Amino acid sequence: MALRALTGIKPTGEPHVGNWLGAIKPALALASAYETYYFIADYHALNIIYDAEALRKNTLSIAATYLAFGLDPERSVFYRQSDIPEVFELAWILACFTPKGLMNRAHSYKDAVAKNQEAGRDPDQNINMGLYSYPILMAADILIFSADVVPVGADQKQHVEIARDIAERINHNYKSALFTLPEPRIDDQVKTIVGLDGRKMSKSYDNTIPLFLEEKPLLKRINQIVTNSQTPEEPKDPEQSPVFQLHKLLLPAGEEAMLRGRYQAGGMGWGQAKKDYFEALNAVLQGPRQEYRRLMADPGALQTVLARGRDKARDRASVFLGKVRSTIGIR
Ligand code: TRP
């Protein structure tokens, strides 16, 4: 039987090139080798998005994004986290086996505390229990479907290790193999995708390239990528150039070497380099952009896809939760 891969995506805003190359594309590629589960982690977004309209809109937009990039809802299980109440019941059960100290050591919580301390604020300021317990809900997402493999960004690796740790504790306590121990899977090649300013592409730096811009604004955005003041004639160092770093991600190895050569040879100005990147990016985004627009114009159809995913996912989740309950003595 095929191994099972599961991954969640947080609907936090307009998806960008970094999300696509770093998360969406590698995750969707797994569908050919694994039994795949993809879901929208809307309750994970609730600890930061308190605007109902924004949360609703982001959720549909993420669903449309995955479908536009080729997610096949017949082949994979594709659902919204909040549609599966079993996940939240399991999260409570897991919480009862999660040492508080384990949560104290979670990076995102620790970072938030450190930021407060640096700013001389109360260490708990603006930290809600949703942030603190985030890894427990994520463990429930993973464990309820007995995922073997969890493709995530490097920043989420610790969360998968936490899920594994909690699963081991429960298995050990009941001397059973109830929970499958999940493995994080990090795609090294695309670990960090640079943004317009050369730092990691991230909404918080306002340096992203949104995926579904029309051609003109897309070109405008690409023209904002930072460059140095070298003249067209001068040879350029591709490793120091965010345009090259972004462009190469779209190319097979042979073409990457050719493009590197063009930078090094000199004779190509930054305007040309950006135009070439625009052409390459636009060519791959054109189809998904159209499909995304079509889906967003038909929210009813999107809801139907998600409802079918919910039915499939809930059937499986409720059987598994039944086993958990009887193992722990709740039924
Ligand atoms: N925490 C993940 C993120 O921020 C999203 C997520 C929620 C997730 N539950 C998950 C990823 C389960 C993998 C498996 O990106």
Side-chain angles (χ1 to χ4, degrees), residues 6-10 39 41 44 134 138 141-142 150 152 156 159:
L6 170 145
T7 197
I9 196 163
K10 226 162 126 175
F39 69 95
H44 271 121
Y134 188 107
M138 184 158 158
D141 292 330
I142 296 169
V150 182
V152 283
Q156 297 293 314
H159 289 154

Side-chain angles (χ1 to χ4, degrees), residues 231-238 257-269:
T231 62
E233 293 70 39
E234 285 176 86
K236 300 182 176 59
D237 180 357
M258 268 168 54
L259 186 67
R260 180 174 280 115
R262 285 181 60 210
Y263 277 69
Q264 290 163 337
M268 177 176 68

